[in-house]
């Protein structure tokens, strides 16, 4: 008889946002007259920018003509998009990244889950705590995390790097030596950012101990402060120790369109083995590429028209973030984030747990957020709100919370 992958059975409960969705759906069904404002999942609400829509229409027309029709995409992605990324996201910032080191995909979530496949299950991972759940859960599925302690909500073979208000929600170098280090900055869920000096310390550390950093830069478009790096490759030596993940979801509203990319420099090697070659082999074997029309839409992100329009969208969401931050701070909440990221991280009031505050907000204010404990043990008593709603709903949600 066939057998299943037992590692899946180790996963506690359902995926965090699936659990939230079920609770909200049940509440909405029981209270059909209530207007629920959702500031939980980091999904954008503004429509695609006109430059992107124009590119999509043009690419669809091409697909309707035999002379310009495209079939399977190249393994790494179309050169027009990879060149645009290399020029605008890297060379413009002084990073020596070439187009052939960029792998186009359908999103950073998939890449952050799939990238662990090229590493041995003997490797030990280190994660920020709190952390985006996909990093840990996909390593659980691979059998890399050991056993789960339901009391501590930790895995025996995972190195947790607490991100607390005492260290400004930026992790310190771990006392135990990891093989794979997951970093996400600007951070989801805390909204914290890391300075160039701090990130350089991580790069130096990884090179020194022989670790690889998987750097999730999905929110780099929201950086507003000058001393915050947009890419890990702004650090000296990063090309020999770091993989970078990027997304078009949050900077260009592609959550429903799906597009992202992973950068693996050719200098990055495990002994004599090129990680670039391993990922290329995996990519070519398991993936047929993002659609041509979507890659053309991605190219439009880097047009002058597209850049201007997307700066306005980012500003729109950051206006929401500022309203949430200042509104709740003025109301007496302990808040952080919202400056270089579209997330506000707040302390649950009156000694409530994260899920108690979730239920309280849903029932009393009809506002949905994300319990901090869902991101790891250090997230307990904290709560995440996103700035991706409409401005009108954001204002209404804050006023409801302040009225409690």
């Amino acid at each position: 008889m066939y057998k299943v992958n037992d590692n899946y059975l180790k996963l506690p409960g359902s995926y965090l946002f699936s659990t939230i969705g079920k609770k909200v759906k049940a509440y909405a069904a029981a209270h059909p007259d209530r207007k629920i404002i959702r500031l939980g999942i980091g999904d954008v609400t503004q429509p695609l920018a006109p430059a992107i829509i124009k590119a999509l229409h043009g690419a669809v027309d091409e697909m309707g003509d035999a002379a310009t029709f495209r079939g399977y995409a190249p393994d790494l992605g179309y050169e027009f998009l990879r060149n645009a990324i290399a020029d605008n996201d890297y060379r413009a910032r002084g990073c020596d990244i070439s187009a052939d080191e960029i792998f186009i995909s359908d999103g950073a979530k998939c890449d952050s889950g799939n990238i662990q496949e090229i590493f041995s299950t003997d490797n030990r991972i280190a994660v920020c705590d709190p952390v985006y759940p996909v990093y840990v859960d996909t390593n659980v599925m691979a059998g890399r995390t050991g056993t789960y302690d339901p009391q501590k909500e930790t895995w025996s073979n995972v190195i947790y790097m607490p991100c607390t208000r005492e260290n400004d929600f930026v992790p310190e170098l771990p006392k135990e030596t990891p093989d794979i280090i997951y970093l996400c900055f600007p951070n989801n869920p805390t909204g914290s950012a890391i300075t160039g000096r701090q990130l350089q310390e991580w790069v130096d550390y990884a090179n020194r101990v022989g670790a690889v950093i998987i750097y999730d830069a999905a929110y780099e478009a929201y950086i507003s402060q000058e001393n915050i790096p947009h890419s890990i490759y702004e650090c000296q030596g990063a090309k020999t120790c770091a993989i970078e993940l990027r997304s078009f979801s949050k900077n260009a509203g592609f959550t429903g369109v799906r597009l992202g990319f992973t950068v693996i420099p050719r200098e990055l090697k495990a002994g004599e083995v090129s990680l670039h070659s391993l990922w290329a082999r995996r990519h070519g074997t398991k993936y047929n590429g993002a659609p041509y029309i979507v890659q053309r839409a991605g190219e439009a992100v880097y047009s002058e028209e597209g850049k201007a329009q997307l700066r306005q969208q980012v500003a729109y969401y950051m206006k929401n973030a500022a309203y949430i931050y200042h509104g709740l701070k003025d109301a007496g909440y302990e808040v952080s984030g919202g400056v270089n990221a579209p997330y506000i991280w707040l302390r649950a009031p009156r000694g409530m747990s994260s899920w108690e505050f979730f239920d309280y907000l849903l029932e009393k204010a009809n506002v949905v957020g994300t319990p901090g404990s869902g991101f790891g043990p250090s997230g307990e008593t904290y709560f995440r709100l996103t700035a991706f709603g409409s401005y009108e709903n954001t204002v209404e949600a804050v006023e409801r919370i302040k009225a409690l």
Side-chain angles (χ1 to χ4, degrees):
M1 182 177 176
Y2 67 85
K3 297 179 180 179
V4 300
N5 180 350
D6 289 341
N7 293 312
Y8 277 69
L9 306 180
K10 298 176 183 177
L11 291 165
S14 61
Y15 183 56
L16 171 62
F17 296 106
S18 298
T19 302
I20 291 172
K22 291 174 184 176
K23 290 175 74 76
V24 175
K25 183 178 180 180
Y27 182 85
H31 304 86
D33 57 323
R34 307 281 177 85
K35 176 188 174 183
I36 299 174
I37 299 178
R38 292 169 169 81
L39 300 180
I41 295 176
D43 195 0
V44 295
T45 54
Q46 294 299 295
L48 294 173
I52 294 168
I53 293 295
K54 181 180 178 181
L56 282 169
H57 281 301
V60 168
D61 289 341
E62 287 184 64
M63 296 295 281
D65 186 334
T68 52
F69 174 80
R70 304 294 205 293
Y72 290 125
D75 282 355
L76 272 67
Y78 285 100
E79 285 191 16
F80 60 77
L81 178 56
R82 290 187 289 118
N83 284 329
I85 292 169
D87 288 342
N88 290 275
D89 286 332
Y90 295 103
R91 292 183 186 130
R93 295 192 177 278
C95 304
D96 182 23
I97 296 296
S98 60
D100 65 1
E101 295 174 309
I102 297 167
F103 296 79
I104 305 301
S105 71
D106 60 358
K109 179 178 181 179
C110 293
D111 285 352
S112 64
N114 293 331
I115 194 69
Q116 54 80 26
E117 288 187 25
I118 66 174
F119 298 102
S120 167
T121 54
D122 294 337
N123 285 307
R124 195 171 185 196
I125 69 167
V127 297
C128 295
D129 174 28
V131 69
Y132 181 44
V134 171
Y135 308 151
V136 174
D137 286 359
T138 53
N139 278 283
V140 174
M141 294 171 179
R144 194 176 284 115
T145 55
T147 57
Y148 184 67
D149 184 335
Q151 299 300 318
K152 296 181 179 179
E153 297 183 322
T154 57
W155 294 91
S156 62
N157 205 39
V158 173
I159 298 171
Y160 292 88
M161 303 180 293
C163 299
T164 65
R165 58 181 172 178
E166 285 73 28
N167 59 16
D168 293 325
F169 302 103
V170 174
E172 299 168 3
L173 298 177
K175 294 180 174 62
E176 299 175 88
T177 303
D179 302 297
I180 303 170
I181 303 166
Y182 286 84
L183 295 177
C184 173
F185 288 103
N187 186 259
N188 175 19
T190 67
S192 61
I194 193 168
T195 66
R197 180 187 58 78
Q198 290 172 318
L199 188 54
Q200 184 66 58
E201 288 180 3
W202 279 99
V203 169
D204 294 342
Y205 171 79
N207 278 318
R208 186 168 66 250
V209 302
V212 63
I213 297 172
I214 299 175
Y215 192 75
D216 188 344
Y219 299 94
E220 64 82 27
Y222 292 85
I223 292 172
S224 64
Q225 295 176 314
E226 290 294 328
N227 64 334
I228 306 300
H230 289 250
S231 168
I232 196 168
Y233 301 117
E234 294 177 42
C235 296
Q236 185 176 2
K239 293 184 71 176
T240 57
C241 71
I243 294 170
E244 184 162 287
L245 311 177
R246 290 282 191 104
S247 170
F248 287 79
S249 288
K250 308 302 164 63
N251 67 325
F254 278 34
T255 53
V257 177
R258 307 308 307 150
L259 189 66
F261 61 90
T262 291
V263 179
I264 304 186
R266 291 190 177 276
E267 291 97 317
L268 182 55
K269 295 181 179 181
E272 296 301 316
V273 179
S274 164
L275 268 61
H276 182 280
S277 297
L278 292 183
W279 187 242
R281 185 68 171 88
R282 191 265 174 204
H283 218 58
T285 301
K286 291 191 173 186
Y287 186 62
N288 272 333
Y292 171 73
I293 60 174
V294 174
Q295 294 198 46
R296 279 296 184 193
E299 180 188 32
V301 167
Y302 299 100
S303 67
E304 290 307 311
E305 185 183 17
K307 289 178 183 177
Q309 292 166 1
L310 294 180
R311 279 194 296 268
Q312 291 179 348
Q313 282 200 356
V314 167
Y316 178 93
Y317 292 130
M318 291 309 288
K319 179 181 178 182
N320 291 349
Y323 192 91
I324 297 170
Y325 179 93
H326 292 292
L328 296 185
K329 187 174 183 179
D330 290 346
Y333 285 85
E334 181 184 316
V335 294
S336 59
V339 176
N340 296 294
Y343 295 119
I344 286 77
W345 191 240
L346 64 139
R347 196 74 176 265
R350 299 189 290 279
M352 292 185 191
S353 71
S354 297
W355 280 105
E356 286 172 344
F357 190 54
F358 174 90
D359 292 333
Y360 178 73
L361 277 191
L362 182 58
E363 280 197 32
K364 302 299 182 181
N366 304 147
V367 172
V368 178
T370 307
S373 61
F375 298 104
S378 290
E380 181 55 275
T381 74
Y382 282 91
F383 203 74
R384 191 193 76 174
L385 292 174
T386 84
F388 286 124
S390 70
Y391 181 71
E392 293 74 19
N393 279 346
T394 298
V395 171
E396 184 175 350
V398 171
E399 297 310 308
R400 288 185 190 181
I401 296 171
K402 289 168 66 175
L404 295 175

